Amino acid sequence: MLLALFGPAASEFRYGHGVVLGLTILVIISGVHSIRLVDERHRYALGLAVPLCILSLMSLFVHHEWLVVIDHLLSLVFLGLVIKVMLDHVMAQRAVSSDLIRAGLVVYLLVGIWFADVYALFEFLSPGSFNGDIAATVSADGEGGGRIHSTRFTYYSLVTLTTLGYGDITPASTLARSFSAVEAIIGPVFLAVFIGRLVGVQVAQASNTDND
């Protein structure tokens, strides 16, 4: 949540890249910890998290295209695993609790961060995939680390996920438009399904209580 809320703003400051990097590593550690609590797949998460943290730290000193690409690809796989495990956890719950609500919120925000990494990878590999502040920042930043550009895409991704769409950043390539459309569909559908799940679990919980 900290990365989603403060990442875009932090990147504008002098040491913003370091702050965003710290938040990114915190997300990785939290993801491994969350999986360890609810699922046996934490070994896979740990196996992805270690090289991902190393690559993220290396991005402070080494700026190579292959490093940025591998960093983002590993991040996509890791976040995808965390989302899958947390979603399974949400759907397996049989009682409404604060843990269930927090897990649902985490999944929703992680979906936004996952798409942000996808968009950053698109723009890095094919400059001009997006119009607006993102394209200008990437072209002006030269060989700077690609990870910092994800903060702008985090903003764009969350705006798309919530179907708000300010219009200051727009997809230009066919692939970027397709993924943006998919995310815009996923956002409200997830909220509708999650709220429906909460209501269904609550009704079942109340029914079982009455029967007892």
Side-chain angles (χ1 to χ4, degrees), residues 8-194:
S11 65
E12 301 298 326
F13 296 99
R14 182 177 180 181
Y15 300 106
H17 184 51
V19 173
V20 173
L21 177 60
L23 291 176
T24 299
I25 293 177
L26 183 61
V27 168
I28 296 171
I29 295 174
S30 299
V32 174
H33 178 68
S34 298
I35 292 179
R36 186 180 65 83
L37 293 177
V38 301
D39 197 275
E40 296 180 354
R41 286 170 282 186
H42 66 275
R43 295 178 181 175
Y44 300 109
L46 185 61
L48 291 168
V50 172
L52 185 54
C53 288
I54 294 174
L55 286 172
S56 296
L57 290 172
M58 286 177 62
S59 68
L60 286 173
F61 311 101
V62 182
H63 304 309
H64 291 297
E65 181 175 348
W66 64 267
L67 182 63
V68 175
V69 172
I70 294 176
D71 184 19
H72 281 285
L73 289 177
L74 274 177
S75 178
L76 289 173
V77 176
F78 175 77
L79 289 175
L81 176 62
V82 176
I83 291 171
K84 177 64 169 61
V85 171
M86 295 305 295
L87 191 58
D88 290 345
H89 175 67
V90 168
M91 300 306 294
Q93 297 303 301
R94 293 294 180 265
V96 176
S97 63
S98 59
D99 177 66
L100 175 60
I101 296 174
R102 285 195 300 268
L105 180 60
V106 166
V107 171
Y108 186 71
L109 291 177
L110 285 179
V111 168
I113 296 175
W114 189 89
F115 273 97
D117 262 356
V118 171
Y119 299 142
L121 193 58
F122 285 169
E123 183 64 30
F124 185 82
L125 295 177
S126 180
S129 295
F130 290 84
N131 297 319
D133 292 340
I134 289 177
T137 301
V138 172
S139 62
D141 217 5
E143 61 176 13
R147 172 63 59 184
I148 194 171
H149 298 147
S150 295
T151 58
R152 296 293 181 90
F153 286 105
T154 299
Y155 158 76
Y156 169 76
S157 180
L158 293 178
V159 167
T160 303
L161 186 67
T162 57
T163 67
L164 185 58
Y166 284 119
D168 53 338
I169 299 170
T170 57
S173 69
T174 301
L175 202 56
R177 289 171 180 168
S178 298
F179 271 77
S180 297
V182 170
E183 185 181 16
I185 294 172
I186 289 176
V189 168
F190 175 82
L191 289 179
V193 172
F194 180 60

